[in-house]
Amino acid sequence: MSANLSALFYLISGILFILALRGLSSPETSRQGNYFGIAGMAISIIVTFLSVGDLGPGFVYVLIFLLIGGSIGAFIAFRIPMTAMPELVAGFHSLVGLAAVFVAIAAFLKPEAFNLGSVGNIKLASLIEMSLGAAIGAITFSGSIIAFLKLRGIMSGSPITFKGQHIINLILGVSILFLIFYLCKSQSSNFFWMLVTLSFLVGVLLIIPIGGADMPVVISMLNSYSGWAAAGIGFTLENTALIITGALVGSSGAILSYIMCKGMNRSFFNVILGGWGATDQSSKSGDKEQKPVKSGNADDAAFLMKNASSVIIVPGYGMAVAQAQHALREMVDALKKNGVKVSYAIHPVAGRMPGHMNVLLAEANVPYDEVFELEEINNDFANCDVAYVIGANDVTNPVAKSDPQSPIYGMPVLDVEKSKSVLFVKRSLSPGYAGIDNDLFYRDNTLMLFADAKKMTEEIVKSL
Amino acid sequence: MEIDPFIFRLSIFILSIFVGYYVVWSVTPSLHTPLMSVTNAISSVIIVGAIIAALAGSSENIFEMSNIFGFLAIILAAVNIFGGFLVTQRMLQMYKKKKK
């Protein structure tokens, strides 16, 4: 196949990938979008085979390795529980990053296969592109591995910080640029290997100071990096499909990071530079006074909700941890039978990754048109009879609106306190991730339900 | 003077960033998790580079260093392609409308 013809096919792939993302603008078109994506991928792979032409004995091995990788991927895709999506995505990012590194290495070792010149005499532009691709890929790989370990709980979620951390990162970053410069000057493979090694190190150092609560930002950021790495390789290979995809993924991840940062009212640099509340956590817990709290049991809650005309459910990550989503849906079904109008309110950072809570609810057969985002539903709390807060905490704290001293001041929160009564399911009065007391616990219209989220919800179902 | 082909690729790249920007903002927030898994899958189109690397060179020795890196990259990218698209599909199947 001629180079021009295959370039046109790669363009078609790129367009199909754009359509795949476009499909996600609504759940109805999303499944079709996914097929566009699959078609684009199939075209890219087939065109690559055709353009290589004389396939030789290596072809069989390519197919074998493709099948091995594919079966592993399919196996994981079918087995993974939805609660583990964040670590799965982090794991997948690391694979893209490592694949980018490997392709860059292969191109460096055998540039003639990619029309980039010959060993020791690689075109300058290609050399810069492949070193950028390799560096970003390596950072994506090691950074995602750390994110994966933190999300999985293998590594502690608390930020790891040490003195001079930022200066070390800066020095490493500058040395990477120097290495690229000397690599281009000398074409020496030593500089290339040093570059890759150093980038792996940077990835680790970049993610360890970021705390568990900031993981939604980290995953989005790594998503973006994996895109830029792919784009870098795309320039090296002069492949439009890869360039388009890299740009799409890169901007997608960047936008998601922005949305997540906004959901927490934090600047991107604030997240990157280290752990939330590492300084004010200690001072806050000291001056805690005993304030009166009303608490109730499942029967009280069932009574309140049964007699309500509208109920808004506010789920948080705690709901997913307690695996309460199915019990929750049963409760909602029972309420609906009683003629109660029920909707769900989702905060942008309710889960461990963007949109995570929506997937968990969808898995529990909650129809997506009953689930609303913060901006859509926040005005409805004033007209609602009962707000049922389950597994969420900081995102309902009215302090974010009233107390400029609070670390979460300015963070968009759900106006839960405006509803006539609030049912707050929680095991104790302990503060949430931000390490601050929730003012909502002590409001007159709040009834605390001290129990495990799943158990409490199941009991409510029974008494309904 | 002739324009360097690099400039064309750069133009495609920059324009795609803009396309990405507008397309991603139009994605509904409830589908942000599938968005991440599907971007994951499509960024594995890097497999085209892996295939070229794996098939490069003489037929006598198909396991040179560069080929081996190509084969390894194929496995990694394939895990991602199949895993990414299938898990996205699985998630999207779960999104259902209210039964009227």
Side-chain angles (χ1 to χ4, degrees), chain A residues 9-38:
Chain A
F9 275 109
Y10 285 132
L11 178 64
I12 294 174
S13 288
I15 292 169
L16 286 168
F17 291 149
I18 295 174
L19 292 175
L21 300 194
R22 182 77 188 104
L24 291 170
S25 59
S26 92
E28 285 107 85
T29 54
S30 61
R31 283 171 278 257
Q32 190 196 26
N34 202 34
Y35 292 127
F36 281 137
I38 295 170

PDB file of all heavy atoms in Angstrom, chain A residues 9-38:
ATOM      1  N   PHE A   9      -5.919   6.574   5.150  1.00  0.00           N
ATOM      2  CA  PHE A   9      -6.639   5.674   6.059  1.00  0.00           C
ATOM      3  C   PHE A   9      -6.394   6.039   7.525  1.00  0.00           C
ATOM      4  O   PHE A   9      -7.299   5.965   8.357  1.00  0.00           O
ATOM      5  CB  PHE A   9      -6.253   4.218   5.793  1.00  0.00           C
ATOM      6  CG  PHE A   9      -7.057   3.597   4.690  1.00  0.00           C
ATOM      7  CD1 PHE A   9      -6.488   3.316   3.458  1.00  0.00           C
ATOM      8  CD2 PHE A   9      -8.402   3.313   4.889  1.00  0.00           C
ATOM      9  CE1 PHE A   9      -7.250   2.753   2.436  1.00  0.00           C
ATOM     10  CE2 PHE A   9      -9.164   2.753   3.879  1.00  0.00           C
ATOM     11  CZ  PHE A   9      -8.586   2.479   2.646  1.00  0.00           C
ATOM     12  N   TYR A  10      -5.159   6.443   7.824  1.00  0.00           N
ATOM     13  CA  TYR A  10      -4.880   6.865   9.202  1.00  0.00           C
ATOM     14  C   TYR A  10      -5.720   8.087   9.569  1.00  0.00           C
ATOM     15  O   TYR A  10      -6.178   8.229  10.700  1.00  0.00           O
ATOM     16  CB  TYR A  10      -3.391   7.165   9.388  1.00  0.00           C
ATOM     17  CG  TYR A  10      -2.520   5.938   9.457  1.00  0.00           C
ATOM     18  CD1 TYR A  10      -1.356   5.823   8.710  1.00  0.00           C
ATOM     19  CD2 TYR A  10      -2.880   4.879  10.299  1.00  0.00           C
ATOM     20  CE1 TYR A  10      -0.556   4.697   8.781  1.00  0.00           C
ATOM     21  CE2 TYR A  10      -2.092   3.742  10.376  1.00  0.00           C
ATOM     22  CZ  TYR A  10      -0.924   3.657   9.608  1.00  0.00           C
ATOM     23  OH  TYR A  10      -0.156   2.536   9.686  1.00  0.00           O
ATOM     24  N   LEU A  11      -5.928   8.950   8.584  1.00  0.00           N
ATOM     25  CA  LEU A  11      -6.777  10.128   8.828  1.00  0.00           C
ATOM     26  C   LEU A  11      -8.200   9.688   9.172  1.00  0.00           C
ATOM     27  O   LEU A  11      -8.819  10.201  10.111  1.00  0.00           O
ATOM     28  CB  LEU A  11      -6.778  11.030   7.592  1.00  0.00           C
ATOM     29  CG  LEU A  11      -7.650  12.280   7.685  1.00  0.00           C
ATOM     30  CD1 LEU A  11      -7.139  13.209   8.768  1.00  0.00           C
ATOM     31  CD2 LEU A  11      -7.697  13.007   6.351  1.00  0.00           C
ATOM     32  N   ILE A  12      -8.689   8.666   8.409  1.00  0.00           N
ATOM     33  CA  ILE A  12     -10.036   8.152   8.693  1.00  0.00           C
ATOM     34  C   ILE A  12     -10.104   7.611  10.126  1.00  0.00           C
ATOM     35  O   ILE A  12     -11.052   7.885  10.874  1.00  0.00           O
ATOM     36  CB  ILE A  12     -10.418   7.058   7.675  1.00  0.00           C
ATOM     37  CG1 ILE A  12     -10.552   7.685   6.284  1.00  0.00           C
ATOM     38  CG2 ILE A  12     -11.701   6.360   8.084  1.00  0.00           C
ATOM     39  CD1 ILE A  12     -10.783   6.695   5.170  1.00  0.00           C
ATOM     40  N   SER A  13      -9.063   6.880  10.511  1.00  0.00           N
ATOM     41  CA  SER A  13      -9.012   6.383  11.895  1.00  0.00           C
ATOM     42  C   SER A  13      -9.118   7.525  12.881  1.00  0.00           C
ATOM     43  O   SER A  13      -9.886   7.459  13.851  1.00  0.00           O
ATOM     44  CB  SER A  13      -7.690   5.658  12.162  1.00  0.00           C
ATOM     45  OG  SER A  13      -7.672   4.442  11.517  1.00  0.00           O
ATOM     46  N   GLY A  14      -8.348   8.561  12.615  1.00  0.00           N
ATOM     47  CA  GLY A  14      -8.362   9.713  13.521  1.00  0.00           C
ATOM     48  C   GLY A  14      -9.752  10.303  13.646  1.00  0.00           C
ATOM     49  O   GLY A  14     -10.218  10.622  14.744  1.00  0.00           O
ATOM     50  N   ILE A  15     -10.457  10.411  12.501  1.00  0.00           N
ATOM     51  CA  ILE A  15     -11.808  10.967  12.527  1.00  0.00           C
ATOM     52  C   ILE A  15     -12.748  10.052  13.313  1.00  0.00           C
ATOM     53  O   ILE A  15     -13.568  10.510  14.105  1.00  0.00           O
ATOM     54  CB  ILE A  15     -12.316  11.189  11.087  1.00  0.00           C
ATOM     55  CG1 ILE A  15     -11.488  12.304  10.441  1.00  0.00           C
ATOM     56  CG2 ILE A  15     -13.793  11.554  11.076  1.00  0.00           C
ATOM     57  CD1 ILE A  15     -11.684  12.447   8.963  1.00  0.00           C
ATOM     58  N   LEU A  16     -12.580   8.732  13.121  1.00  0.00           N
ATOM     59  CA  LEU A  16     -13.426   7.796  13.868  1.00  0.00           C
ATOM     60  C   LEU A  16     -13.195   7.945  15.375  1.00  0.00           C
ATOM     61  O   LEU A  16     -14.130   7.829  16.175  1.00  0.00           O
ATOM     62  CB  LEU A  16     -13.150   6.357  13.418  1.00  0.00           C
ATOM     63  CG  LEU A  16     -13.736   6.001  12.047  1.00  0.00           C
ATOM     64  CD1 LEU A  16     -13.175   4.677  11.547  1.00  0.00           C
ATOM     65  CD2 LEU A  16     -15.258   5.924  12.118  1.00  0.00           C
ATOM     66  N   PHE A  17     -11.952   8.213  15.752  1.00  0.00           N
ATOM     67  CA  PHE A  17     -11.674   8.408  17.182  1.00  0.00           C
ATOM     68  C   PHE A  17     -12.361   9.669  17.705  1.00  0.00           C
ATOM     69  O   PHE A  17     -12.878   9.690  18.829  1.00  0.00           O
ATOM     70  CB  PHE A  17     -10.169   8.490  17.438  1.00  0.00           C
ATOM     71  CG  PHE A  17      -9.454   7.183  17.218  1.00  0.00           C
ATOM     72  CD1 PHE A  17      -8.140   7.150  16.781  1.00  0.00           C
ATOM     73  CD2 PHE A  17     -10.101   5.978  17.446  1.00  0.00           C
ATOM     74  CE1 PHE A  17      -7.485   5.950  16.579  1.00  0.00           C
ATOM     75  CE2 PHE A  17      -9.464   4.768  17.241  1.00  0.00           C
ATOM     76  CZ  PHE A  17      -8.147   4.754  16.804  1.00  0.00           C
ATOM     77  N   ILE A  18     -12.366  10.720  16.885  1.00  0.00           N
ATOM     78  CA  ILE A  18     -13.070  11.938  17.292  1.00  0.00           C
ATOM     79  C   ILE A  18     -14.554  11.621  17.502  1.00  0.00           C
ATOM     80  O   ILE A  18     -15.159  12.009  18.498  1.00  0.00           O
ATOM     81  CB  ILE A  18     -12.912  13.052  16.231  1.00  0.00           C
ATOM     82  CG1 ILE A  18     -11.451  13.473  16.142  1.00  0.00           C
ATOM     83  CG2 ILE A  18     -13.797  14.253  16.562  1.00  0.00           C
ATOM     84  CD1 ILE A  18     -11.154  14.457  15.028  1.00  0.00           C
ATOM     85  N   LEU A  19     -15.127  10.843  16.556  1.00  0.00           N
ATOM     86  CA  LEU A  19     -16.541  10.489  16.672  1.00  0.00           C
ATOM     87  C   LEU A  19     -16.796   9.629  17.911  1.00  0.00           C
ATOM     88  O   LEU A  19     -17.863   9.707  18.520  1.00  0.00           O
ATOM     89  CB  LEU A  19     -17.002   9.748  15.411  1.00  0.00           C
ATOM     90  CG  LEU A  19     -17.040  10.614  14.141  1.00  0.00           C
ATOM     91  CD1 LEU A  19     -17.395   9.756  12.943  1.00  0.00           C
ATOM     92  CD2 LEU A  19     -18.041  11.750  14.295  1.00  0.00           C
ATOM     93  N   ALA A  20     -15.812   8.799  18.269  1.00  0.00           N
ATOM     94  CA  ALA A  20     -15.965   7.958  19.457  1.00  0.00           C
ATOM     95  C   ALA A  20     -16.138   8.828  20.690  1.00  0.00           C
ATOM     96  O   ALA A  20     -16.986   8.558  21.551  1.00  0.00           O
ATOM     97  CB  ALA A  20     -14.755   7.046  19.622  1.00  0.00           C
ATOM     98  N   LEU A  21     -15.366   9.897  20.781  1.00  0.00           N
ATOM     99  CA  LEU A  21     -15.498  10.791  21.937  1.00  0.00           C
ATOM    100  C   LEU A  21     -16.785  11.605  21.839  1.00  0.00           C
ATOM    101  O   LEU A  21     -17.465  11.851  22.827  1.00  0.00           O
ATOM    102  CB  LEU A  21     -14.300  11.740  22.028  1.00  0.00           C
ATOM    103  CG  LEU A  21     -12.924  11.108  22.188  1.00  0.00           C
ATOM    104  CD1 LEU A  21     -11.923  12.160  22.610  1.00  0.00           C
ATOM    105  CD2 LEU A  21     -12.939   9.974  23.193  1.00  0.00           C
ATOM    106  N   ARG A  22     -17.124  11.995  20.614  1.00  0.00           N
ATOM    107  CA  ARG A  22     -18.340  12.778  20.401  1.00  0.00           C
ATOM    108  C   ARG A  22     -19.562  12.006  20.870  1.00  0.00           C
ATOM    109  O   ARG A  22     -20.510  12.573  21.408  1.00  0.00           O
ATOM    110  CB  ARG A  22     -18.458  13.130  18.911  1.00  0.00           C
ATOM    111  CG  ARG A  22     -19.641  13.981  18.551  1.00  0.00           C
ATOM    112  CD  ARG A  22     -19.414  15.425  18.939  1.00  0.00           C
ATOM    113  NE  ARG A  22     -20.633  16.199  18.752  1.00  0.00           N
ATOM    114  CZ  ARG A  22     -21.414  16.579  19.764  1.00  0.00           C
ATOM    115  NH1 ARG A  22     -21.106  16.248  20.992  1.00  0.00           N
ATOM    116  NH2 ARG A  22     -22.494  17.283  19.544  1.00  0.00           N
ATOM    117  N   GLY A  23     -19.543  10.688  20.651  1.00  0.00           N
ATOM    118  CA  GLY A  23     -20.673   9.849  21.040  1.00  0.00           C
ATOM    119  C   GLY A  23     -20.969   9.932  22.530  1.00  0.00           C
ATOM    120  O   GLY A  23     -22.102   9.756  22.965  1.00  0.00           O
ATOM    121  N   LEU A  24     -19.945  10.218  23.323  1.00  0.00           N
ATOM    122  CA  LEU A  24     -20.131  10.233  24.771  1.00  0.00           C
ATOM    123  C   LEU A  24     -20.902  11.457  25.264  1.00  0.00           C
ATOM    124  O   LEU A  24     -21.051  11.656  26.460  1.00  0.00           O
ATOM    125  CB  LEU A  24     -18.769  10.180  25.469  1.00  0.00           C
ATOM    126  CG  LEU A  24     -18.030   8.846  25.322  1.00  0.00           C
ATOM    127  CD1 LEU A  24     -16.611   8.972  25.819  1.00  0.00           C
ATOM    128  CD2 LEU A  24     -18.748   7.758  26.094  1.00  0.00           C
ATOM    129  N   SER A  25     -21.406  12.287  24.330  1.00  0.00           N
ATOM    130  CA  SER A  25     -22.158  13.447  24.790  1.00  0.00           C
ATOM    131  C   SER A  25     -23.500  13.032  25.379  1.00  0.00           C
ATOM    132  O   SER A  25     -24.101  13.791  26.131  1.00  0.00           O
ATOM    133  CB  SER A  25     -22.357  14.437  23.650  1.00  0.00           C
ATOM    134  OG  SER A  25     -23.047  13.814  22.613  1.00  0.00           O
ATOM    135  N   SER A  26     -23.969  11.840  25.058  1.00  0.00           N
ATOM    136  CA  SER A  26     -25.159  11.340  25.747  1.00  0.00           C
ATOM    137  C   SER A  26     -25.107   9.817  25.796  1.00  0.00           C
ATOM    138  O   SER A  26     -24.518   9.191  24.919  1.00  0.00           O
ATOM    139  CB  SER A  26     -26.438  11.796  25.046  1.00  0.00           C
ATOM    140  OG  SER A  26     -26.838  10.835  24.103  1.00  0.00           O
ATOM    141  N   PRO A  27     -25.722   9.219  26.820  1.00  0.00           N
ATOM    142  CA  PRO A  27     -25.649   7.760  26.946  1.00  0.00           C
ATOM    143  C   PRO A  27     -26.234   7.027  25.734  1.00  0.00           C
ATOM    144  O   PRO A  27     -25.782   5.937  25.401  1.00  0.00           O
ATOM    145  CB  PRO A  27     -26.470   7.478  28.201  1.00  0.00           C
ATOM    146  CG  PRO A  27     -26.397   8.737  28.993  1.00  0.00           C
ATOM    147  CD  PRO A  27     -26.364   9.842  27.982  1.00  0.00           C
ATOM    148  N   GLU A  28     -27.229   7.645  25.050  1.00  0.00           N
ATOM    149  CA  GLU A  28     -27.838   6.950  23.899  1.00  0.00           C
ATOM    150  C   GLU A  28     -26.847   6.754  22.757  1.00  0.00           C
ATOM    151  O   GLU A  28     -26.849   5.735  22.100  1.00  0.00           O
ATOM    152  CB  GLU A  28     -29.034   7.725  23.356  1.00  0.00           C
ATOM    153  CG  GLU A  28     -30.282   7.642  24.188  1.00  0.00           C
ATOM    154  CD  GLU A  28     -30.536   8.953  24.917  1.00  0.00           C
ATOM    155  OE1 GLU A  28     -31.135   9.850  24.313  1.00  0.00           O
ATOM    156  OE2 GLU A  28     -30.114   9.075  26.072  1.00  0.00           O
ATOM    157  N   THR A  29     -26.022   7.779  22.503  1.00  0.00           N
ATOM    158  CA  THR A  29     -25.115   7.695  21.375  1.00  0.00           C
ATOM    159  C   THR A  29     -23.770   7.077  21.757  1.00  0.00           C
ATOM    160  O   THR A  29     -22.938   6.819  20.905  1.00  0.00           O
ATOM    161  CB  THR A  29     -24.844   9.098  20.795  1.00  0.00           C
ATOM    162  OG1 THR A  29     -24.391   9.938  21.853  1.00  0.00           O
ATOM    163  CG2 THR A  29     -26.086   9.689  20.176  1.00  0.00           C
ATOM    164  N   SER A  30     -23.581   6.849  23.059  1.00  0.00           N
ATOM    165  CA  SER A  30     -22.251   6.451  23.513  1.00  0.00           C
ATOM    166  C   SER A  30     -21.832   5.070  23.014  1.00  0.00           C
ATOM    167  O   SER A  30     -20.682   4.854  22.663  1.00  0.00           O
ATOM    168  CB  SER A  30     -22.204   6.484  25.034  1.00  0.00           C
ATOM    169  OG  SER A  30     -23.134   5.583  25.567  1.00  0.00           O
ATOM    170  N   ARG A  31     -22.797   4.140  22.966  1.00  0.00           N
ATOM    171  CA  ARG A  31     -22.434   2.792  22.542  1.00  0.00           C
ATOM    172  C   ARG A  31     -21.996   2.780  21.085  1.00  0.00           C
ATOM    173  O   ARG A  31     -21.015   2.137  20.716  1.00  0.00           O
ATOM    174  CB  ARG A  31     -23.611   1.834  22.763  1.00  0.00           C
ATOM    175  CG  ARG A  31     -23.766   1.454  24.218  1.00  0.00           C
ATOM    176  CD  ARG A  31     -25.038   0.685  24.459  1.00  0.00           C
ATOM    177  NE  ARG A  31     -26.168   1.599  24.591  1.00  0.00           N
ATOM    178  CZ  ARG A  31     -26.723   1.931  25.757  1.00  0.00           C
ATOM    179  NH1 ARG A  31     -26.277   1.410  26.860  1.00  0.00           N
ATOM    180  NH2 ARG A  31     -27.726   2.763  25.811  1.00  0.00           N
ATOM    181  N   GLN A  32     -22.716   3.549  20.262  1.00  0.00           N
ATOM    182  CA  GLN A  32     -22.333   3.675  18.855  1.00  0.00           C
ATOM    183  C   GLN A  32     -20.934   4.284  18.763  1.00  0.00           C
ATOM    184  O   GLN A  32     -20.095   3.840  17.986  1.00  0.00           O
ATOM    185  CB  GLN A  32     -23.350   4.565  18.147  1.00  0.00           C
ATOM    186  CG  GLN A  32     -23.194   4.578  16.658  1.00  0.00           C
ATOM    187  CD  GLN A  32     -23.964   5.759  16.060  1.00  0.00           C
ATOM    188  OE1 GLN A  32     -24.195   6.776  16.721  1.00  0.00           O
ATOM    189  NE2 GLN A  32     -24.347   5.623  14.815  1.00  0.00           N
ATOM    190  N   GLY A  33     -20.682   5.297  19.605  1.00  0.00           N
ATOM    191  CA  GLY A  33     -19.372   5.937  19.630  1.00  0.00           C
ATOM    192  C   GLY A  33     -18.265   4.938  19.888  1.00  0.00           C
ATOM    193  O   GLY A  33     -17.216   4.974  19.240  1.00  0.00           O
ATOM    194  N   ASN A  34     -18.523   4.027  20.813  1.00  0.00           N
ATOM    195  CA  ASN A  34     -17.513   3.025  21.131  1.00  0.00           C
ATOM    196  C   ASN A  34     -17.206   2.155  19.910  1.00  0.00           C
ATOM    197  O   ASN A  34     -16.050   1.808  19.662  1.00  0.00           O
ATOM    198  CB  ASN A  34     -17.997   2.162  22.301  1.00  0.00           C
ATOM    199  CG  ASN A  34     -16.848   1.485  23.022  1.00  0.00           C
ATOM    200  OD1 ASN A  34     -15.762   2.054  23.130  1.00  0.00           O
ATOM    201  ND2 ASN A  34     -17.085   0.276  23.491  1.00  0.00           N
ATOM    202  N   TYR A  35     -18.240   1.830  19.117  1.00  0.00           N
ATOM    203  CA  TYR A  35     -17.996   1.046  17.898  1.00  0.00           C
ATOM    204  C   TYR A  35     -17.151   1.829  16.899  1.00  0.00           C
ATOM    205  O   TYR A  35     -16.300   1.256  16.219  1.00  0.00           O
ATOM    206  CB  TYR A  35     -19.322   0.615  17.258  1.00  0.00           C
ATOM    207  CG  TYR A  35     -20.066  -0.393  18.096  1.00  0.00           C
ATOM    208  CD1 TYR A  35     -21.390  -0.192  18.471  1.00  0.00           C
ATOM    209  CD2 TYR A  35     -19.428  -1.558  18.534  1.00  0.00           C
ATOM    210  CE1 TYR A  35     -22.060  -1.102  19.268  1.00  0.00           C
ATOM    211  CE2 TYR A  35     -20.089  -2.476  19.326  1.00  0.00           C
ATOM    212  CZ  TYR A  35     -21.401  -2.245  19.689  1.00  0.00           C
ATOM    213  OH  TYR A  35     -22.060  -3.156  20.487  1.00  0.00           O
ATOM    214  N   PHE A  36     -17.394   3.144  16.812  1.00  0.00           N
ATOM    215  CA  PHE A  36     -16.544   3.973  15.950  1.00  0.00           C
ATOM    216  C   PHE A  36     -15.083   3.833  16.378  1.00  0.00           C
ATOM    217  O   PHE A  36     -14.188   3.703  15.541  1.00  0.00           O
ATOM    218  CB  PHE A  36     -16.958   5.444  16.034  1.00  0.00           C
ATOM    219  CG  PHE A  36     -18.167   5.790  15.220  1.00  0.00           C
ATOM    220  CD1 PHE A  36     -19.160   6.609  15.744  1.00  0.00           C
ATOM    221  CD2 PHE A  36     -18.294   5.317  13.929  1.00  0.00           C
ATOM    222  CE1 PHE A  36     -20.282   6.942  14.995  1.00  0.00           C
ATOM    223  CE2 PHE A  36     -19.415   5.639  13.164  1.00  0.00           C
ATOM    224  CZ  PHE A  36     -20.408   6.452  13.707  1.00  0.00           C
ATOM    225  N   GLY A  37     -14.873   3.888  17.674  1.00  0.00           N
ATOM    226  CA  GLY A  37     -13.510   3.769  18.197  1.00  0.00           C
ATOM    227  C   GLY A  37     -12.885   2.446  17.811  1.00  0.00           C
ATOM    228  O   GLY A  37     -11.731   2.387  17.356  1.00  0.00           O
ATOM    229  N   ILE A  38     -13.659   1.370  17.977  1.00  0.00           N
ATOM    230  CA  ILE A  38     -13.137   0.037  17.641  1.00  0.00           C
ATOM    231  C   ILE A  38     -12.817  -0.031  16.150  1.00  0.00           C
ATOM    232  O   ILE A  38     -11.766  -0.545  15.748  1.00  0.00           O
ATOM    233  CB  ILE A  38     -14.158  -1.059  18.041  1.00  0.00           C
ATOM    234  CG1 ILE A  38     -14.326  -1.068  19.567  1.00  0.00           C
ATOM    235  CG2 ILE A  38     -13.722  -2.420  17.539  1.00  0.00           C
ATOM    236  CD1 ILE A  38     -15.461  -1.923  20.080  1.00  0.00           C
TER     237      ILE A  38
END
